[in-house]
Amino acid sequence: MGAALPLLSVVLVRTRNPLNIGAAARAMQNFGASDLRVVAPYEASFREARSAVGAGAVLEAAREFANVAEAVADCRLVVGTTAARRRELHQPVIELQHAGERMRGALAEGRVALLFGSEKHGLTREDLDRCHWLLHVPAEPEQPSLNLGQAVAVCLWELARDAAAEPPPPPPEPGAPVGELERLGGLLMEVLQAGGYLHSGNEAGTRSEVRRLLLRYSVTEADTYLLMGMARRVLWKLRGSLR
Amino acid sequence: MGAALPLLSVVLVRTRNPLNIGAAARAMQNFGASDLRVVAPYEASFREARSAVGAGAVLEAAREFANVAEAVADCRLVVGTTAARRRELHQPVIELQHAGERMRGALAEGRVALLFGSEKHGLTREDLDRCHWLLHVPAEPEQPSLNLGQAVAVCLWELARDAAAEPPPPPPEPGAPVGELERLGGLLMEVLQAGGYLHSGNEAGTRSEVRRLLLRYSVTEADTYLLMGMARRVLWKLRGSLR
């Protein structure tokens, strides 16, 4: 990872449930954001969230503001989240999968606020008016509204996901040299021979089947040792039985 | 949106907190997944989660299983989540930003299980042995472990976010249902037993080795018929030799 979001401020507006404040703080710690701001929270919620066991550094450092205007005063970009694809919204609505790039650009420049409204009513029209643009998490029409803690997690993941941008991992292990696969295949054929599976009608077909499987399975060198060990043991037993 | 995940099964293993079961179900409804399976949950948790107000259709239809093997028996791909970047893990670990594409390819083919372990201990080694590969959500080293409900939301969002985009072309042949691989693995173990390969010191290790290989090789349904036919013949001969 190593891709923190030091200039992101998560702003929770009128949050009611202390568990949601805690969940937001947890997600921030997961994805490297540290500046949590709460606006007019239900008094008890904020107190309870802060005093929860293992509340962590983000909650301890969280700051309380009386209104959104004060909470975002030092930010260069203010983005509000909305479950509505559009109401009579004046601001542009960007879907989450396109929002990351825009926000990352701004985060390279200065502080960015990401606002989440109350569990029940979201952000008010007045809150929204303070936003440069709005972020919408696309979801199923039957259940378009995300739980607050999950919404924070999903948005922060989207911001963090490409920051690392490591190249995709290489395939786990290279296949064994083909010569070794041939030896393994030969041994398996001996097992099938001794086991009575082979007869004149299926021998050639089985041989090419076995070869094909071993190639397709990308059997590794370590696998060949393991499998040859097994096959040899079984073969020894089978041949013993024929004496 | 309109991009549901009808063939995804979310499997919660030994979940303790009913709120987390509810949160997982909520995220599934947000992102269009409907098949929730719980394995050996704390009794009270599952009952409480189900009876919560507004539990919703996903929780009502959730099914309970005694163990992971039964829960994933009909799945073609089994993916486990892990907070560890790597322990002594045998399976490939794919970071979430690369996992979506792989899983979407498999979802175009058949049922895919995504496993989440208990809040405290995650998935056990034995659970992990049943997975084709593991998914890791990259997070800050100071707080690498996500809350369960948030982890589900983040993973489902990653699957849903590009779903509108064309799915990648499917691999030539899909893997066999995991239940069938188990049967094949069991038969191979019988061959190794009758062949004298197994002893008390290597039996457990060999069992997980065999299971792991069969998953990694993406053995097809046609392959399982072929291989079971071979194994049965050899087994018959071996057993004949013991009489």
Side-chain angles (χ1 to χ4, degrees):
Chain A
M1 193 79 179
L5 300 164
L7 290 180
L8 182 73
S9 296
V10 172
V11 183
L12 302 181
V13 183
R14 289 179 301 281
T15 308
R16 184 179 273 276
N17 186 339
L19 291 176
N20 285 336
I21 300 179
R26 166 95 174 245
M28 291 173 69
Q29 294 191 173
N30 290 139
F31 297 122
S34 55
D35 188 52
L36 175 60
R37 306 177 179 194
V38 296
V39 172
Y42 286 74
E43 255 324 301
S45 289
F46 189 42
R47 219 167 39 233
E48 195 181 318
R50 269 189 140 158
S51 63
V53 179
V58 165
L59 261 182
E60 274 163 33
R63 282 176 296 158
E64 194 174 340
F65 294 84
N67 54 55
V68 170
E70 286 174 30
V72 302
D74 62 338
C75 298
R76 305 228 166 207
L77 172 67
V78 180
V79 177
T81 53
T82 175
R85 202 177 280 263
R86 66 189 65 208
R87 301 187 260 198
E88 325 80 59
L89 295 171
H90 298 302
Q91 297 87 342
V93 178
I94 311 287
E95 306 239 307
L96 179 57
Q97 65 271 34
H98 305 302
E101 200 182 330
R102 291 195 180 211
M103 286 182 72
R104 277 192 301 278
L107 283 165
E109 302 276 302
R111 184 159 290 282
V112 173
L114 182 57
L115 271 61
F116 295 86
S118 79
E119 292 91 339
K120 200 147 187 178
H121 304 293
L123 294 168
T124 64
R125 167 62 67 94
E126 212 200 317
D127 299 334
L128 295 177
D129 280 344
R130 297 186 180 279
C131 298
H132 292 81
W133 47 269
L134 305 179
L135 185 163
H136 173 251
V137 181
E140 296 292 313
E142 297 78 25
Q143 178 61 282
S145 159
L146 273 69
N147 159 274
L148 178 55
Q150 290 174 313
V152 173
V154 164
C155 290
L156 294 187
W157 160 249
E158 185 66 29
L159 286 175
R161 77 186 288 279
D162 293 328
E166 293 165 37
E173 285 171 279
V178 179
E180 248 175 274
L181 293 184
E182 273 295 300
R183 282 222 306 286
L184 171 58
L187 200 54
L188 293 175
M189 286 298 287
E190 283 188 73
V191 169
L192 294 176
Q193 175 69 56
Y197 180 84
L198 296 182
H199 51 78
S200 59
N202 72 355
E203 181 162 353
T206 301
R207 186 182 302 280
S208 85
E209 196 80 82
V210 166
R211 181 171 291 142
R212 208 169 47 72
L213 286 186
L214 290 178
L215 289 173
R216 179 150 59 75
Y217 290 169
S218 48
V219 174
T220 67
E221 204 151 355
D223 294 348
T224 61
Y225 297 138
L226 175 71
L227 295 171
M228 284 204 261
M230 291 174 173
R232 279 200 196 98
R233 190 68 188 72
V234 170
L235 188 59
W236 185 85
K237 180 71 124 194
L238 283 166
R239 287 192 173 152
S241 79
L242 297 177
R243 274 202 295 267
Chain B
M1 193 83 176
L5 300 165
L7 289 180
L8 182 73
S9 297
V10 172
V11 183
L12 302 181
V13 184
R14 290 180 300 280
T15 307
R16 187 181 270 279
N17 186 338
L19 292 176
N20 285 335
I21 301 179
R26 166 93 173 247
M28 291 174 68
Q29 294 190 175
N30 290 140
F31 296 122
S34 55
D35 187 52
L36 175 61
R37 304 175 180 196
V38 297
V39 172
Y42 285 76
E43 256 321 303
S45 290
F46 188 41
R47 220 168 36 235
E48 196 180 316
R50 268 189 142 157
S51 63
V53 179
V58 166
L59 261 182
E60 273 163 34
R63 281 176 297 157
E64 194 175 343
F65 293 85
N67 54 55
V68 169
E70 287 173 29
V72 303
D74 62 337
C75 298
R76 305 234 164 202
L77 172 67
V78 181
V79 177
T81 53
T82 175
R85 199 177 282 261
R86 67 191 65 210
R87 303 187 255 198
E88 325 80 61
L89 295 172
H90 297 300
Q91 296 86 344
V93 178
I94 310 288
E95 306 237 307
L96 179 58
Q97 65 272 33
H98 304 301
E101 199 182 333
R102 290 196 181 211
M103 286 183 70
R104 276 192 300 279
L107 283 165
E109 296 283 301
R111 185 158 289 283
V112 174
L114 183 57
L115 272 61
F116 295 86
S118 79
E119 292 90 339
K120 200 149 189 176
H121 303 292
L123 295 169
T124 64
R125 165 63 67 94
E126 213 201 316
D127 299 334
L128 296 177
D129 277 344
R130 296 184 182 280
C131 298
H132 291 80
W133 47 268
L134 305 178
L135 185 163
H136 174 251
V137 181
E140 296 292 314
E142 296 79 27
Q143 177 62 279
S145 158
L146 273 70
N147 159 274
L148 178 54
Q150 290 174 313
V152 173
V154 164
C155 290
L156 295 187
W157 160 248
E158 184 66 30
L159 285 176
R161 76 188 286 280
D162 295 326
E166 284 295 297
E173 285 171 282
V178 177
E180 245 174 276
L181 293 184
E182 273 294 301
R183 281 220 306 285
L184 171 58
L187 200 54
L188 294 176
M189 286 297 287
E190 284 188 74
V191 168
L192 294 176
Q193 177 71 55
Y197 179 85
L198 295 182
H199 52 78
S200 59
N202 73 354
E203 180 160 355
T206 302
R207 186 181 300 280
S208 91
E209 195 79 82
V210 165
R211 183 172 286 146
R212 209 164 50 71
L213 286 185
L214 291 178
L215 290 173
R216 180 150 59 75
Y217 290 168
S218 49
V219 174
T220 68
E221 207 152 355
D223 294 349
T224 63
Y225 297 137
L226 175 71
L227 295 171
M228 285 204 259
M230 291 174 173
R232 279 199 196 101
R233 191 67 191 70
V234 170
L235 188 59
W236 186 83
K237 179 71 123 194
L238 282 166
R239 286 191 173 151
S241 78
L242 299 176
R243 275 200 294 268

